[in-house]
Amino acid sequence: MDEPKERDFHHPFEPYDIQKQFMNAVYDCLEDGKVGIFESPTGTGKSLSLICGSLTWLRDHKRRTFEEGFAADMADSDDPPWMLENARKKSKNAALRRRQDLEDRIAKIKAKEQRIKHRYQNGEPLYKRQKVASSDAGGEDADEARFVLDDYESDGDAGPKSKAASFNDSGLSAETEALMQQFGYSLGSRKEHEDVVDEMKIFFCSRTHSQLTQFSSELNRVKMPPAITPDDAPDNLNGQILVEDVKHLTLGSRKNLCINPKVKMLGNATAINERCLELQQKGTSPDSKCSFMPTKESEALVTDFRDHALAKIRDIEDLGLLGKKLGICPYYASRPATKHCEIVTLPYPLLLQKSAREALDLSLKGHIVVIDEAHNLMDAIAGIYSVSVTLAQLQQARVQLTVYLQKFRNRLKGKNRVYVAQIIRILDSIIAYLQSKTADSKSIDGQVDISSLMAGKGVDQVNLFKLNAYLQESRLARKVDAYTTYADQSQDHALDGGAKTTSKQGPRQSVPVLTHVQGFLISLMNPSAEGRFFFSKEDSSGIALRYLLLDPTFHFKDIVEDARAVVLAGGTMSPMSDYDQHLLSYLDPSKIMTLSCGHVIPPSNLLAIPVVQTLNGSEFEFTFEKRNTEKTMIDLGHAILRIAKHVPDGVVVFFPSYSYLDTCIAAWKRLRPAPSSTSPSFWDSLSCVKPVFLEHRSQQQSSEPRIVTKEAAVDSVLNAYSSSIASGNGRGALLFAVIGGTLSEGINFSDALGRGVVVVGLPFPNPHTAEWKAKMQYLSSKASSRGQDGKVAARDFYENACMRAVNQCVGRAIRHRGDYAAILMLDRRYSGQRIQAKLPQWIRGSLANGAGVRDVEKRAYTSVAQTEDASAELTAHGKEVENENFTDRPTFDDDEPTLEELATLPRVADKLPWGAFLVAIVELCERFAYYGLSGPFQNYMSNSYNDPNGLPGALGLKQSGATALSNFFQFWCYVTPILGAIVADQYLGKYLTIKYFSLVYMVGIFVLFITSLPVSIERGAAFPGLIAAMFIIGLGTGGIKSNVSPLIAEQVRSTKPFIKVLPRGQRVIVDPEVTVQRIYMIFYMCINLGSISAIATTTLELKVGFWSAYLLPFIMFCVGYSVLISGRKRYVIKPPQGGVIGNCFRALWIAMRNRFDLDKAKPSMQEQGRRKYKISWDDKFVDELKTALVACKVFLFFPIYWVTYSQMMNNFISQAGQMELHGLPNDILPNIDPITIILLIPLLDRLIYPFIRTKLHLAFTPITRITWGFLIASLAMAYAAVLQSRIYATGPCYTSPSHCDAGKIADGRYKPNAVHVAWQTPAYILVALSEILASITGLEFAYTKAPENMKSFIMSLFLLTSAFGSALGIFLAPVAKDPRLVWLYAVLAGTSALAGAVFHWMFRGLDGREVARAVESADEGIELMRRGSDV
């Protein structure tokens, strides 16, 4: 017997077996008319499987319906066969003709769209739109009568009259309704039109429009054959089947589809709905009505919109753009098109809310309903029908109604006055109840009896159903809100002295409070069986009254009974018992299908372990009672620390709540893994292993206007986390998130982003709240009424709510067939059978037995490592190592060194990431620009234009004036980094600050270039242009200098020493301090490579002109900016913390008030002292601040060094002008300094420094290096003094170089003194060596001693010392004249030597104490090891 033919689902790819299983299950469910509950893990192609399975069935069903219907007609007919066959063909051709007509129209639309695409994008729209009337139409002439309610009658008196006079339930005018009915869209009485067939369709529903957009993109992939094919159609078209396009339309709310800018700007969905309906009221003038609403005149546009909408797959944004192009409202114009669709996509609220379906006139009768992401379906239904209101809102609504009633009491007629009075009575009753609960301090929350709410005087006489109808039809809330706005504005105008202004009487942009209260009043009519009322007291909003829907069954039952079949699909539907026992409890079990698919990955790619034991062997148990104990948090810290060390790449840790995450972090910053007081805290230890990132609290973004901020915050965390993993050389990162938080749903932690997922505890909701008590009681009684065990049913529901949240988290890790990860569940309860049974099937298949932390770190390490490469061993940093046998223990890369190894093994630098080199290139280009333009400054300022000596010049300020202005420029360039540091640390972050200030820098260079053109110099623009350029360039360089050096150091992620085995087998210690030293060596070498630009610019200055000398730096800076932008994804970018600088100054103020004792600013000291301060930092911050203050003390000596160093940039150039140049520009000599640095840095880094550390065993500490830098700078000045004395001792002009009659050659030209300029070279070499020792070490010292969040600010303080050096140079400028220069150099030499000696004397113990501690602890460890070996 032949096997049944396998179904062809027309999947665009070769489907996996589980996809075939899923599509067959969908097909069978739709065919049998059942409710399907299907689970297919994320990453298995669930969306495509849903599309292919459901569409294949739909096309097959249409074909079978046509053929079977005609077969039935033939059986009942007595006509001859030839007539029946002819009738069959005629009927088939008619159906094909109807379909072909639609296809032809759509084809024309497609061709038309291609022809006018350019016009749509760049020209005017196809149809002219009417001008939208301003919301303030009427202005101050508007009468108060516009706020009076229309006459209202109820009880059947004249209800239809009043209602028909304005608009119906759909919110459409009679004209619009007639037009919609003409297009096949029935309203009100639902008159069916014979010529429009509502074809069977699939309603696809998901949570958000972004998910529906993804669905639409998947739908574009699918090519389906037509349901009915012509008899003469060829069987094969060159090997391809006939294809019929899928007719698809997406529906949205007014908020998503409104194109009226005056309405859309309201922002809130309720406000937009109300305003849209207002614009259609009979009292609205034609000029004020919405010009986009369909009318009789725009009938052609509605047809055009329908054909355009069906011409291709469009998402919600595409429909909005289409409406704008055609000038027709897409919200109303899309309704008729649903009749012709095969798939209609829409978000949860439009499908699940009955009123929304009625407003859209969506009939689900006989259609297919597919709900994706259905794991939170019951919560979504409960959320839609639940509502809350605060006491303040009720009181505000009461005041507004009272004012309105008093104002219009005499104008309100009939039922209006009665119903408004009834609403006030109900509000008084509810307000009185809440005020009584507020007075009761013992009750925090509780269940509310509806009779207590309605106990007020006369409330029992109110008919709530009639009152609700009145609120809906009269639009009372909008009338009251409009009048309140009008009255407030009128009062403001009166207070302003009666000034005539235009009164804007449009509605407020937020939801009227009475509209919100109205929604709550509607809930009073809900059946008491399905929901309960609760009160709760909140710190922020006071007491609130809330209606909670306990049972979503009744609201979902309408959908199930109307639809032919319903499919509930999701990635984590387990546990599924809630759906059949609660949501679908009324259905016969035979009507429900369930399927839980496996994953596309092999079982070996996943390791799921319940971690039941701590590191010391006790049980992990994160119950409410135990999880906050210090022991539990210590055990958890040890576990996460071990897991982070042994799982490569990214590890995501999910905590049960935000409060518990905060509690753990606070404890880990205080507690230490080791008993030693000097050992790092848990938090520091975690940060050393992997950088740590935290999920932002979703509660902090509660108001709707901040939704964008919330999404931006989520993206910011994910981007930083991803960048850290991508640029960390396998080190990875830690992400602390919360179960049920913003990162637990819809986030892709594929591949390296989630090699490990850790779930801490079980996130059970608090069972002691009034809501959960009521919910458990309701479920128990409902189960008991069906003959089940009520307690067991309630417990299962409670556990299912917890496990559904857990399953969402663990489903984030595996995202495709080649992915792999370890899932670690920390709690002994995960080893129980009942909890494990609620995990998805694909996880249960890879679930191991419960284990302890020690076992897990080996198994997780081995499992993940073997998956990636069976031949390589992966460590926490994902590196491959050689297996070596050591006598004591096996050693892998990244092991922490022992005390003996710290004392004996050589230290090397870590490998530098690409991001560091890119930052170095950016700094190279910036310094190229800076030195390139400042190199010619001395001549530009000192010499005059067309100088008689042939020296290039422009301003003629002489040597002293030029030196003073040059020093001012340097001073300004090193003051502005303070501003750049504040902007970076507080607001933008280092990268963005560099990016934006670079643009300022480029503007400054361009100004300098323009004003240095010969025509500008001749017209006197050179001097003001120079001043402006100096100011702008200094501002730009301030934003760059303070941030680029800490940014390059941040590219290196290792912060603790670790062992590394070199390829030749040598074991070394990778020392972060050596790494930072190397990176600043390279950084400084790039600076000096850039500074060589002065060679080119001074040559251009001499040969071409100053304009060319300033154009070259501008071009080079543009290159650097391009590198900065293009390398964005390679950088490790830390977001700004904000407030840290303010905290710094507040802590210093506290210290000043306590005799300069910084310990008084510690939180731990607040309880001991008399004064208590409000502080927002921890003890560690104060300790870091102390270290930063030590660095600031070190910086105090640097101005002396910088004034010595700056002589190279001004007086040395003038000195060269007094010597024989032999054709060289006098300002080219300073380039000897950077060339020397470029040559010396590799020599020092690779040979001299390692020789000192390893061969001489000397600690060449930063303090020692800085001291030597001062002394060598002193030697440079001493040499300059000797050289200057030799110049003065040589003719022809001796002590007046270039200013004596003996040396005069021609008018204004003099012969220089007979000393070769090459004698300046030793001075430049000595300055370069001192720069390496003092300046580079100063940068390194500033970075390493600065607190984590103040790197830029401390760096700016170090750079500020250069500004003070420039200020000293300004004071010395008057002395920089012949013949006093010998004394100037001599004084500087002596001052620098003295400063170096005093510096070393003051700070010699700073590094000595640290070295001594390290040596002592190492010696102690070695001694203990030796004693142990002797025993």
Side-chain angles (χ1 to χ4, degrees):
M1 183 178 179
D2 295 337
E3 294 183 1
K5 184 179 179 181
E6 184 177 352
R7 293 181 181 128
D8 183 3
F9 290 103
H10 310 286
H11 198 285
F13 309 106
E14 180 61 33
Y16 302 131
D17 290 339
I18 64 166
Q19 290 176 323
K20 294 178 181 178
Q21 181 187 10
F22 189 89
M23 289 186 290
N24 277 305
V26 171
Y27 192 103
D28 294 338
C29 176
L30 305 188
E31 179 67 22
D32 298 337
K34 295 183 178 182
V35 176
I37 306 170
F38 302 143
E39 179 181 65
S40 183
T42 305
T44 58
K46 170 170 56 67
S47 297
L48 267 179
S49 299
L50 280 172
I51 293 170
C52 294
S54 57
L55 267 181
T56 300
W57 176 85
L58 183 63
R59 295 280 171 94
D60 288 351
H61 175 77
K62 287 182 178 179
R63 182 175 60 255
R64 288 197 306 267
T65 301
F66 176 82
E67 293 173 352
E68 291 171 1
F70 192 81
D73 292 340
M74 290 180 64
D76 297 335
S77 177
D78 296 331
D79 293 333
W82 66 269
M83 290 184 64
L84 294 175
E85 178 64 20
N86 185 56
R88 186 191 71 82
K89 290 183 178 181
K90 188 175 180 180
S91 176
K92 184 174 185 178
N93 289 335
L96 290 171
R97 189 164 53 253
R98 285 195 300 271
R99 190 192 76 194
Q100 190 60 43
D101 288 344
L102 181 61
E103 294 287 346
D104 290 344
R105 289 200 305 273
I106 291 174
K108 290 179 181 179
I109 289 294
K110 289 182 177 180
K112 186 177 180 181
E113 283 186 339
Q114 291 297 322
R115 290 195 305 270
I116 61 176
K117 182 177 180 182
H118 181 72
R119 180 182 175 190
Y120 270 174
Q121 290 179 344
N122 302 317
E124 294 186 1
L126 180 62
Y127 300 94
K128 276 196 171 183
R129 308 174 191 166
Q130 299 178 22
K131 183 179 179 181
V132 182
S134 174
S135 60
D136 55 358
E140 60 185 0
D141 298 328
D143 190 73
E144 291 181 351
R146 71 193 307 266
F147 306 116
V148 181
L149 292 167
D150 297 330
D151 291 346
Y152 181 84
E153 298 294 339
S154 62
D155 305 326
D157 300 340
K161 173 183 173 183
S162 170
K163 187 173 179 180
S166 56
F167 46 83
N168 60 21
D169 286 333
S170 68
L172 295 174
S173 63
E175 183 185 31
T176 304
E177 178 184 346
L179 179 62
M180 290 297 184
Q181 289 180 346
Q182 180 179 341
F183 284 104
Y185 180 67
S186 58
L187 299 167
S189 61
R190 290 183 171 273
K191 296 178 181 179
E192 299 295 336
H193 294 259
E194 299 295 332
D195 57 334
V196 179
V197 179
D198 189 10
E199 298 185 2
M200 177 177 285
K201 58 182 59 66
I202 300 166
F203 288 96
F204 184 91
C205 175
S206 193
R207 286 189 303 121
T208 62
H209 278 294
S210 61
Q211 291 171 329
L212 294 176
T213 299
Q214 295 174 6
F215 177 85
S216 300
S217 65
E218 294 292 333
L219 189 59
N220 269 314
R221 300 174 182 267
V222 180
K223 307 297 179 185
M224 284 282 169
I228 306 173
T229 56
D231 292 333
D232 55 352
D235 295 333
N236 189 291
L237 298 173
N238 296 324
Q240 297 183 359
I241 63 171
L242 282 172
V243 173
E244 179 184 346
D245 290 340
V246 178
K247 310 300 183 301
H248 162 266
L249 186 73
T250 185
L251 296 179
S253 63
R254 287 183 176 91
K255 180 181 179 183
N256 298 115
L257 291 175
C258 179
I259 59 174
N260 187 328
K262 297 289 186 181
V263 179
K264 192 174 182 64
M265 67 182 294
L266 298 177
N268 182 276
T270 306
I272 290 175
N273 289 340
E274 293 290 333
R275 183 59 177 157
C276 178
L277 296 177
E278 277 184 8
L279 293 178
Q280 300 175 57
Q281 293 188 55
K282 68 170 185 177
T284 307
S285 64
D287 292 338
S288 298
K289 286 187 175 181
C290 179
S291 62
F292 302 103
M293 275 296 299
T295 62
K296 194 71 175 176
E297 289 75 17
S298 60
E299 179 178 331
L301 288 183
V302 177
T303 307
D304 217 11
F305 180 90
R306 178 193 64 191
D307 294 340
H308 275 85
L310 298 179
K312 66 178 183 179
I313 308 297
R314 299 179 188 267
D315 59 24
I316 194 72
E317 293 183 358
D318 295 332
L319 279 187
L321 292 174
L322 178 60
K324 286 183 179 179
K325 290 177 181 179
L326 298 180
I328 194 74
C329 174
Y331 175 74
Y332 286 114
S334 60
R335 297 183 181 188
T338 58
K339 300 282 185 184
H340 305 275
C341 289
E342 292 177 294
I343 291 186
V344 176
T345 55
L346 67 171
Y348 271 7
L350 297 187
L351 179 76
L352 301 179
Q353 197 167 7
K354 187 176 182 180
S355 61
R357 297 199 302 272
E358 290 175 348
L360 293 172
D361 196 43
L362 288 183
S363 172
L364 304 181
K365 193 71 176 179
H367 297 298
I368 304 300
V369 174
V370 178
I371 301 178
D372 196 14
E373 300 295 331
H375 59 273
N376 57 2
L377 176 62
M378 289 185 285
D379 293 336
I381 297 174
I384 289 172
Y385 289 95
S386 299
V387 64
S388 66
V389 65
T390 65
L391 176 60
Q393 290 173 327
L394 290 166
Q395 291 172 330
Q396 184 180 354
R398 196 340 181 146
V399 171
Q400 290 181 0
L401 269 177
T402 303
V403 172
Y404 182 83
L405 187 59
Q406 290 175 350
K407 179 67 179 178
F408 299 105
R409 179 181 297 275
N410 296 327
R411 300 190 190 184
L412 297 180
K413 300 178 182 179
K415 295 291 186 179
N416 278 324
R417 292 175 62 180
V418 175
Y419 282 122
V420 172
Q422 287 181 358
I423 295 171
I424 292 177
R425 285 203 296 270
I426 292 177
L427 291 178
D428 286 340
S429 180
I430 298 175
I431 289 171
Y433 176 82
L434 290 180
Q435 287 175 337
S436 67
K437 291 298 179 183
T438 303
D440 184 5
S441 59
K442 295 182 180 179
S443 57
I444 299 176
D445 63 356
Q447 191 170 333
V448 178
D449 185 6
I450 191 170
S451 60
S452 301
L453 287 178
M454 309 294 285
K457 183 179 179 181
V459 177
D460 57 339
Q461 305 296 321
V462 177
N463 186 324
L464 291 176
F465 291 95
K466 289 185 177 181
L467 183 62
N468 175 52
Y470 170 77
L471 288 170
Q472 296 288 340
E473 296 173 20
S474 67
R475 308 292 169 182
L476 173 66
R478 273 290 159 188
K479 291 281 189 181
V480 173
D481 177 66
Y483 174 71
T484 303
T485 306
Y486 171 80
D488 291 345
Q489 291 175 346
S490 299
Q491 185 178 3
D492 291 341
H493 297 160
L495 293 175
D496 290 340
K500 256 190 173 183
T501 57
T502 302
S503 174
K504 293 187 179 181
Q505 299 167 2
R508 297 176 184 178
Q509 293 192 8
S510 59
V511 182
V513 65
L514 192 58
T515 301
H516 191 75
V517 173
Q518 175 183 322
F520 181 80
L521 294 179
I522 294 173
S523 67
L524 295 173
M525 300 185 302
N526 291 340
S528 58
E530 66 181 35
R532 299 286 188 275
F533 290 90
F534 303 92
F535 75 88
S536 62
K537 297 178 182 177
E538 305 290 342
D539 295 335
S540 57
S541 58
I543 190 168
L545 192 62
R546 181 165 55 257
Y547 172 77
L548 177 66
L549 182 69
L550 298 179
D551 192 351
T553 302
F554 305 104
H555 296 281
F556 194 64
K557 187 177 181 180
D558 294 340
I559 296 175
V560 175
E561 290 180 343
D562 282 351
R564 172 191 172 95
V566 177
V567 174
L568 308 181
T572 52
M573 298 295 290
S574 298
M576 296 184 180
S577 59
D578 283 351
Y579 300 97
D580 51 20
Q581 293 181 11
H582 301 292
L583 186 65
L584 306 169
S585 57
Y586 56 89
L587 285 180
D588 187 279
S590 62
K591 294 287 291 180
I592 301 175
M593 288 180 61
T594 59
L595 173 68
S596 181
C597 294
H599 216 298
V600 292
I601 62 169
S604 60
N605 281 30
L606 176 67
L607 176 67
I609 308 178
V611 184
V612 299
Q613 288 185 341
T614 67
L615 201 61
N616 57 21
S618 59
E619 287 189 330
F620 263 131
E621 188 170 3
F622 292 92
T623 59
F624 284 109
E625 295 79 14
K626 296 182 178 180
R627 70 185 190 185
N628 287 318
T629 63
E630 189 169 284
K631 178 183 180 303
T632 301
M633 288 185 282
I634 290 175
D635 290 336
L636 176 60
H638 278 297
I640 295 177
L641 188 58
R642 291 298 185 100
I643 292 168
K645 284 182 177 179
H646 290 84
V647 175
D649 297 321
V651 177
V652 186
V653 184
F654 286 101
F655 288 77
S657 67
Y658 286 103
S659 60
Y660 189 60
L661 173 58
D662 292 341
T663 302
C664 288
I665 291 174
W668 290 340
K669 288 183 177 180
R670 175 174 48 86
L671 301 171
R672 305 176 187 277
S676 172
S677 60
T678 59
S679 62
S681 64
F682 274 106
W683 184 256
D684 291 337
S685 300
L686 289 170
S687 302
C688 290
V689 177
K690 296 178 186 288
V692 182
F693 299 86
L694 301 177
E695 174 183 345
H696 291 280
R697 280 180 179 268
S698 59
Q699 291 90 334
Q700 292 175 348
Q701 290 85 21
S702 57
S703 61
E704 188 166 343
R706 291 188 181 181
I707 290 178
V708 176
T709 305
K710 169 184 171 182
E711 293 175 350
V714 172
D715 291 340
S716 174
V717 173
L718 287 176
N719 289 337
Y721 174 70
S722 304
S723 299
S724 179
I725 292 173
S727 60
N729 293 330
R731 183 172 178 232
L734 266 174
L735 177 60
F736 288 166
V738 173
I739 301 172
T742 54
L743 297 179
S744 63
E745 280 196 54
I747 304 299
N748 184 352
F749 291 117
S750 63
D751 300 318
L753 298 183
R755 288 292 176 235
V757 174
V758 181
V759 182
V760 178
L762 287 151
F764 285 111
N766 187 355
H768 303 298
T769 62
E771 294 181 6
W772 266 100
K773 285 180 180 178
K775 188 175 291 188
M776 301 285 278
Q777 182 182 1
Y778 173 82
L779 293 171
S780 179
S781 61
K782 183 179 178 180
S784 299
S785 66
R786 298 200 304 262
Q788 301 173 355
D789 189 331
K791 290 185 177 180
V792 172
R795 183 199 64 195
D796 282 344
F797 185 86
Y798 182 67
E799 290 178 347
N800 290 349
C802 165
M803 290 306 297
R804 195 170 290 113
V806 171
N807 293 341
Q808 273 297 109
C809 296
V810 298
R812 302 297 97 207
I814 304 295
R815 310 295 290 188
H816 58 83
R817 184 167 191 149
D819 208 351
Y820 58 92
I823 297 175
L824 309 174
M825 297 165 284
L826 273 60
D827 200 304
R828 67 166 183 81
R829 292 171 291 181
Y830 280 113
S831 61
Q833 291 298 317
R834 196 170 69 247
I835 294 296
Q836 290 186 359
K838 299 179 188 297
L839 290 168
Q841 177 184 332
W842 64 276
I843 293 181
R844 293 200 302 269
S846 301
L847 191 64
N849 295 326
V853 173
R854 294 186 185 276
D855 298 325
V856 165
E857 64 183 8
K858 297 176 183 177
R859 295 172 67 179
Y861 166 79
T862 304
S863 174
V864 178
Q866 287 177 347
T867 303
E868 177 147 332
D869 189 348
S871 63
E873 296 183 63
L874 290 180
T875 67
H877 291 212
K879 301 173 183 175
E880 186 175 342
V881 301
E882 300 177 4
N883 290 322
E884 302 236 7
N885 294 322
F886 296 100
T887 56
D888 295 330
R889 59 186 176 87
T891 302
F892 300 98
D893 277 9
D894 306 314
D895 278 357
E896 293 184 6
T898 63
L899 296 177
E900 181 184 17
E901 290 166 340
L902 283 170
T904 58
L905 291 182
R907 298 172 184 250
V908 299
D910 200 358
K911 182 181 178 182
L912 302 184
W914 275 108
F917 290 105
L918 288 176
V919 176
I921 292 172
V922 171
E923 177 64 0
L924 185 153
C925 295
E926 188 274 332
R927 290 290 90 183
F928 184 101
Y930 178 82
Y931 286 107
L933 61 89
S934 60
F937 266 3
Q938 189 73 8
N939 282 342
Y940 189 73
M941 296 182 290
S942 177
N943 304 324
S944 59
Y945 192 55
N946 295 323
D947 184 78
N949 285 322
L951 294 175
L955 302 182
L957 300 179
K958 306 302 180 184
Q959 181 175 349
S960 59
T963 301
L965 198 53
S966 175
N967 281 318
F968 167 77
F969 177 60
Q970 291 184 44
F971 172 81
W972 173 242
C973 286
Y974 288 100
V975 167
T976 52
I978 295 288
L979 173 64
I982 294 174
V983 171
D985 286 341
Q986 296 275 111
Y987 305 107
L988 296 181
K990 300 177 185 64
Y991 173 77
L992 288 179
T993 304
I994 295 171
K995 177 181 174 182
Y996 295 137
F997 275 78
S998 293
L999 296 174
V1000 176
Y1001 201 123
M1002 284 191 282
V1003 171
I1005 304 176
F1006 188 74
V1007 169
L1008 184 62
F1009 160 66
I1010 292 295
T1011 57
S1012 65
L1013 292 168
V1015 64
S1016 300
I1017 297 174
E1018 291 169 358
R1019 295 185 179 184
F1023 184 74
L1026 175 68
I1027 299 302
M1030 283 183 168
F1031 177 80
I1032 300 172
I1033 292 170
L1035 196 62
T1037 198
I1040 299 172
K1041 285 293 292 181
S1042 58
N1043 294 294
V1044 71
S1045 50
L1047 180 64
I1048 193 172
E1050 285 177 357
Q1051 306 309 303
V1052 180
R1053 304 300 304 176
S1054 59
T1055 56
K1056 295 292 181 181
F1058 60 90
I1059 298 293
K1060 180 178 182 180
V1061 182
L1062 299 178
R1064 60 180 181 270
Q1066 182 185 8
R1067 297 171 65 241
V1068 294
I1069 295 175
V1070 177
D1071 192 339
E1073 291 186 4
V1074 178
T1075 306
V1076 172
Q1077 179 181 316
R1078 169 165 294 176
I1079 202 169
Y1080 276 119
M1081 285 282 198
I1082 294 174
F1083 177 71
Y1084 216 77
M1085 185 169 67
C1086 288
I1087 289 176
N1088 285 276
L1089 277 172
S1091 67
I1092 299 178
S1093 61
I1095 297 176
T1097 56
T1098 51
T1099 304
L1100 287 169
E1101 156 209 344
L1102 180 64
K1103 303 295 184 182
V1104 181
F1106 285 103
W1107 65 268
S1108 62
Y1110 296 140
L1111 177 61
L1112 180 62
F1114 179 77
I1115 295 172
M1116 193 63 181
F1117 196 93
C1118 291
V1119 173
Y1121 189 75
S1122 302
V1123 173
L1124 176 72
I1125 300 302
S1126 61
R1128 167 68 174 82
K1129 294 183 179 180
R1130 289 186 175 270
Y1131 304 137
V1132 176
I1133 299 175
K1134 294 183 178 180
Q1137 299 299 316
V1140 65
I1141 298 175
N1143 288 343
C1144 173
F1145 286 108
R1146 281 194 292 273
L1148 292 175
W1149 173 250
I1150 293 173
M1152 290 174 61
R1153 299 189 65 183
N1154 291 273
R1155 298 180 179 179
F1156 298 95
D1157 185 2
L1158 256 179
D1159 287 334
K1160 297 296 184 182
K1162 290 183 176 180
S1164 59
M1165 298 294 290
Q1166 297 305 302
E1167 298 298 329
Q1168 303 174 18
R1170 298 178 183 176
R1171 298 174 178 170
K1172 293 183 180 179
Y1173 302 94
K1174 292 183 178 180
I1175 57 179
S1176 56
W1177 54 82
D1178 54 13
D1179 287 1
K1180 182 185 175 184
F1181 174 80
V1182 178
D1183 292 334
E1184 290 178 338
L1185 184 56
K1186 288 182 179 179
T1187 305
L1189 289 176
V1190 172
C1192 293
K1193 292 178 184 177
V1194 171
F1195 297 163
L1196 292 176
F1197 285 82
F1198 270 86
I1200 297 174
Y1201 173 78
W1202 291 122
V1203 74
T1204 304
Y1205 166 83
S1206 65
Q1207 301 307 304
M1208 176 184 69
M1209 303 300 295
N1210 41 55
N1211 286 326
F1212 276 23
I1213 295 174
S1214 297
Q1215 185 186 63
Q1218 301 170 354
M1219 305 168 73
E1220 294 178 341
L1221 294 172
H1222 299 281
L1224 292 174
N1226 65 320
D1227 49 6
I1228 201 172
L1229 269 297
N1231 292 287
I1232 297 173
D1233 173 83
I1235 293 173
T1236 304
I1237 289 175
I1238 293 169
L1239 296 174
L1240 286 180
I1241 279 180
L1243 188 66
L1244 289 167
D1245 182 45
R1246 298 291 181 174
L1247 296 176
I1248 297 176
Y1249 283 172
F1251 177 79
I1252 294 173
R1253 284 195 301 266
T1254 59
K1255 301 300 182 182
L1256 302 180
H1257 299 288
L1258 295 176
F1260 202 40
T1261 62
I1263 297 300
T1264 305
R1265 278 179 274 154
I1266 293 173
T1267 302
W1268 276 104
F1270 274 85
L1271 297 178
I1272 294 175
S1274 174
L1275 287 177
M1277 292 301 103
Y1279 180 85
V1282 172
L1283 181 59
Q1284 188 67 45
S1285 67
R1286 183 179 175 185
I1287 293 172
Y1288 286 161
T1290 307
C1293 290
Y1294 300 98
T1295 58
S1296 300
S1298 301
H1299 288 87
C1300 69
D1301 293 337
K1304 191 171 184 179
I1305 301 174
D1307 291 340
R1309 294 188 62 191
Y1310 297 89
K1311 184 178 180 182
N1313 288 6
V1315 179
H1316 200 290
V1317 74
W1319 284 104
Q1320 270 198 328
T1321 303
Y1324 284 110
I1325 293 175
L1326 290 171
V1327 170
L1329 183 57
S1330 75
E1331 199 176 345
I1332 294 173
L1333 293 170
S1335 181
I1336 297 179
T1337 309
L1339 289 171
E1340 174 192 335
F1341 194 82
Y1343 179 80
T1344 56
K1345 298 303 180 184
E1348 185 64 29
N1349 299 328
M1350 294 177 62
K1351 298 292 188 186
S1352 293
F1353 185 67
I1354 299 301
M1355 189 63 68
S1356 70
L1357 293 180
F1358 174 70
L1359 297 174
L1360 185 63
T1361 61
S1362 183
F1364 290 136
S1366 298
L1368 291 176
I1370 294 174
F1371 287 116
L1372 292 175
V1375 186
K1377 297 179 180 179
D1378 297 317
R1380 304 173 185 172
L1381 291 174
V1382 175
W1383 288 104
L1384 173 65
Y1385 294 133
V1387 169
L1388 288 175
T1391 304
S1392 181
L1394 180 62
V1398 175
F1399 176 84
H1400 189 265
W1401 177 78
M1402 287 187 63
F1403 299 109
R1404 65 186 186 281
L1406 186 62
D1407 283 328
R1409 286 192 294 271
E1410 297 179 7
V1411 173
R1413 280 199 298 270
V1415 173
E1416 287 173 6
S1417 59
D1419 289 343
E1420 181 183 355
I1422 295 170
E1423 183 64 24
L1424 288 174
M1425 293 175 67
R1426 287 172 178 169
R1427 291 178 185 177
S1429 62
D1430 293 339
V1431 173

